Amino acid sequence: MTITTLMQYTIKLISHTQAPLDLLLEADPSVEKINAYLPHSHCYAAITSINQICGLYVLTPHSSNTIELMNLAVYPDHQKQGIGTTLLKHAIQTARSRHYHTLTLGTGIFGYQLPFYQSLGFTPTYSIPNYFLNHYSKIIYESGKQHHHMTCLSYSLE
């Protein structure tokens, strides 16, 4: 399963070198962190009919049973069109087709991301206090609030 067609987009596996840094930074503001996980990851991009990447997701294997969604991003001018939901569903299918048992991810404890992931079946498993303070040099704000803690979620693929 490397290509999926949706409306005017296709989702396909791309090389990590083809993943646009500005898009990755929409979901993860650390170039250092992105550069650390990207070479060991699988990148899938939503590509428009005029061959432009409009969204992507990145999966990083952690064991033979667990793979992590490290990044899911859609350019702002393509948001609110269902691309993020389609990418997340594709990530779940991809992880399942690669015979992983669990898909995990980490996100902030507020904002639209947590309910978005939960609406598609992810369940909170644990929190990491002060994660964003301890692991990012830049303060991360969303809707005027500073992120401190990370919530980790999982999705059973069995």
Side-chain angles (χ1 to χ4, degrees):
M1 176 182 60
T2 58
I3 299 178
T4 300
T5 302
L6 53 127
M7 293 182 244
Q8 67 263 30
Y9 306 94
T10 56
I11 299 175
K12 69 178 191 176
L13 181 65
I14 63 169
S15 165
H16 74 276
T17 60
Q18 294 174 291
L21 182 59
D22 64 328
L23 180 55
L24 293 163
L25 288 168
E26 290 284 331
D28 186 343
S30 171
V31 172
E32 295 80 16
K33 288 195 173 303
I34 291 168
N35 287 336
Y37 64 72
L38 201 56
H40 312 288
S41 301
H42 308 285
C43 302
Y44 288 83
I47 301 174
T48 68
S49 58
I50 57 171
N51 207 31
Q52 292 181 328
I53 295 174
C54 61
L56 60 69
Y57 70 87
V58 178
L59 294 174
T60 302
H62 289 295
S63 71
S64 60
N65 293 325
T66 303
I67 194 164
E68 183 174 357
L69 180 68
M70 299 298 294
N71 198 305
L72 172 64
V74 177
Y75 279 119
D77 58 337
H78 290 279
Q79 292 177 359
K80 309 270 188 226
Q81 298 176 32
I83 298 167
T85 299
T86 302
L87 285 167
L88 184 56
K89 288 178 179 179
H90 191 275
I92 292 167
Q93 292 172 349
T94 299
R96 185 176 281 129
S97 74
R98 290 175 177 249
H99 307 291
Y100 288 97
H101 299 265
T102 306
L103 175 60
T104 63
L105 64 88
T107 191
I109 63 170
F110 60 85
Y112 71 90
Q113 296 91 342
L114 185 57
F116 167 68
Y117 292 123
Q118 289 178 301
S119 74
L120 290 169
F122 284 81
T123 55
T125 52
Y126 61 95
S127 293
I128 302 175
N130 297 315
Y131 179 85
F132 296 105
L133 299 176
N134 296 332
H135 292 91
Y136 286 85
S137 58
K138 179 180 165 185
I139 296 174
I140 302 171
Y141 288 98
E142 185 173 351
S143 302
K145 293 173 67 178
Q146 182 180 354
H147 277 288
H148 293 110
H149 316 299
M150 180 166 62
T151 297
C152 297
L153 299 100
S154 67
Y155 186 100
S156 175
L157 300 165
E158 300 181 304

